[in-house]
Amino acid sequence: MRSSKVFSIDGETFDIGVVSLKREAPVLDKFAERTDDGDLQREIIGVYFNYTMTFPEMNLDMNEYARLYDKVTEPVEFHTVTVPGTIGSFTYQAYITGVTDELLRIDLDKNINYWGNLQIKFIAKTPSRS
């Protein structure tokens, strides 16, 4: 997939290729309960579209990487995220449940730390389908 125009966060795009974009669509219940005869009674709240983005092992433009990292680690409740949908793009309000990456190399001569394998998990604020 390696594309840098796959997504935006709060209207900002980043020149870092996405190597994996996974989505899941959990169905959340207001309640789900079995009756005495074993029948399931449930009330569905809706279906939430959640995305997980994974970025390259290493990005050589650490300034762009730092800009993305700063954006996804902002202490804000929600972001407006645009990602590929089934057809076209899909924009929704999401919160970030986790950001992980790892230090891959240190260049002491240039005083640059190279981070990579960045992964971000976005969870929908409201149902995408209800």
Side-chain angles (χ1 to χ4, degrees):
M1 172 192 305
R2 257 193 205 270
S3 174
S4 61
K5 305 301 180 203
V6 169
F7 74 101
S8 69
I9 303 170
D10 299 331
E12 292 183 51
T13 59
F14 301 87
D15 192 18
I16 298 177
V18 175
V19 296
S20 173
L21 182 62
K22 294 180 183 179
R23 66 180 180 177
E24 59 182 350
V27 178
L28 297 185
D29 297 312
K30 184 173 183 178
F31 75 86
E33 189 174 316
R34 296 248 176 225
T35 60
D36 289 340
D37 65 357
D39 189 27
L40 179 68
Q41 303 293 313
R42 72 189 284 214
E43 184 178 338
I44 295 174
I45 296 170
V47 180
Y48 292 73
F49 292 169
N50 304 325
Y51 285 76
T52 301
M53 288 185 199
T54 304
F55 295 86
E57 179 178 321
M58 185 182 303
N59 182 55
L60 298 179
D61 184 349
M62 290 313 298
N63 290 322
E64 189 70 358
Y65 187 95
R67 194 170 73 82
L68 173 60
Y69 192 83
D70 287 347
K71 172 51 87 177
V72 298
T73 58
E74 286 177 338
V76 298
E77 291 180 338
F78 303 102
H79 293 278
T80 300
V81 180
T82 300
V83 291
T86 303
I87 298 173
S89 61
F90 173 65
T91 300
Y92 71 119
Q93 293 288 303
Y95 60 97
I96 296 172
T97 60
V99 177
T100 61
D101 65 354
E102 63 183 300
L103 182 61
L104 301 171
R105 188 180 73 170
I106 298 173
D107 186 330
L108 295 174
D109 295 331
K110 295 180 182 176
N111 195 28
I112 298 175
N113 298 323
Y114 290 93
W115 291 85
N117 295 320
L118 176 66
Q119 189 171 72
I120 307 162
K121 183 152 187 167
F122 297 94
I123 304 298
K125 177 184 179 191
T126 58
S128 301
R129 303 190 69 196
S130 53

